[in-house]
Amino acid sequence: HNLPEVKEYLYKILVIGDLGTGKTSIIKRYVNNVFSMHYKSTIGVDFALKVLQWSPDTVVRLQLWDIAGQERFGNMTKVYYKEALGALVVYDVTRPSTFDGVTKWKNDLDQKVSLPEAWGGGSIPVVLMGNKCDLLKDGYSNKSESEMIKYCEENGFVKWFDTSAKENHNVDEAARYLVSQILEIE
Ligand code: GDP
Ligand code: MG
């Protein structure tokens, strides 16, 4: 028998951003397809595993790291970021202060983690998620799509998505895009 060789990848993905922006909700939606208004923020680190049949011969396992309660400090230790290959940075579109947090989180990432030497050692790909877009009245946001595209270019994000963990909007798409970027580098 000549079975085609299956390529398997395991990627550590960080999910970071200010408290209450919906990080845990996004992970639960993505991995378990559920949503609740009440996730306890327990101190520590939570992991979730998502297995993607990327293509007939490629399986990607995503180990999603949820910072669970430590985000109030606005940064994480280097040990926590170690060997991450991508990140989702989340803000809450209804709370502008959480968007200020985005730059802070990106800087923290760039200072503390980079791609493996074998991959060129650059910064890891980061997708920006403007979450809770279901709460925007008539879809109105104080940031336009073109502004966000410009912001991403200037600040080293690979792409921006408006998302809703509640209504399952763009969660899969954002994660998928991040994976495609990692696969491209590898
Ligand atoms: P975390 O602190 O970043 O992990 O945020 P959580 O996932 O705990 O979410 C904080 C609160 O926002 C919870 O009450 C969630 O139910 C709510 N939430 C999260 N995502 C959404 C969303 O897309 N839409 C709405 N309306 N609420 C959300
Ligand atoms: Mg949380």
Side-chain angles (χ1 to χ4, degrees), residues 34-55:
V34 294
F35 178 80
S36 150
M37 287 311 270
H38 313 282
Y39 290 124
K40 283 188 211 91
S41 98
T42 45
I43 295 286
V45 177
D46 271 341
F47 306 96
L49 188 74
K50 170 85 173 182
V51 182
L52 291 174
Q53 185 75 48
W54 186 259
S55 71

Side-chain angles (χ1 to χ4, degrees), residues 17-26 35-41 66 71 90 92 131-135 163-167:
D18 287 354
L19 191 67
T21 53
K23 300 178 297 298
T24 301
S25 301
I26 285 168
F35 178 80
S36 150
M37 287 311 270
H38 313 282
Y39 290 124
K40 283 188 211 91
S41 98
D66 187 356
E71 59 269 60
V90 184
D92 175 344
N131 191 43
K132 308 195 190 181
C133 68
D134 58 282
L135 295 176
T163 65
S164 169
K166 188 177 181 193
E167 294 184 352

Side-chain angles (χ1 to χ4, degrees), residues 104-115:
K104 199 181 56 188
W105 285 107
K106 180 68 165 68
N107 290 337
D108 196 48
L109 271 177
D110 288 344
Q111 277 173 30
K112 293 175 183 165
V113 66
S114 47
L115 291 169

Side-chain angles (χ1 to χ4, degrees), residues 123-140:
S123 53
I124 65 172
V126 184
V127 162
L128 182 56
M129 300 172 95
N131 191 43
K132 308 195 190 181
C133 68
D134 58 282
L135 295 176
L136 291 178
K137 217 166 176 277
D138 306 318
Y140 176 81

Side-chain angles (χ1 to χ4, degrees), residues 52-110:
L52 291 174
Q53 185 75 48
W54 186 259
S55 71
D57 67 347
T58 308
V59 174
V60 178
R61 288 190 173 76
L62 300 180
Q63 189 184 54
L64 298 153
W65 288 48
D66 187 356
I67 58 181
Q70 295 169 72
E71 59 269 60
R72 63 187 88 249
F73 307 115
N75 60 71
M76 298 295 290
T77 65
K78 211 168 166 156
V79 169
Y80 178 80
Y81 289 152
K82 199 173 151 71
E83 283 164 17
L85 296 176
L88 299 168
V89 172
V90 184
Y91 68 98
D92 175 344
V93 291
T94 69
R95 280 192 295 140
S97 70
T98 65
F99 184 73
D100 299 338
V102 164
T103 333
K104 199 181 56 188
W105 285 107
K106 180 68 165 68
N107 290 337
D108 196 48
L109 271 177
D110 288 344

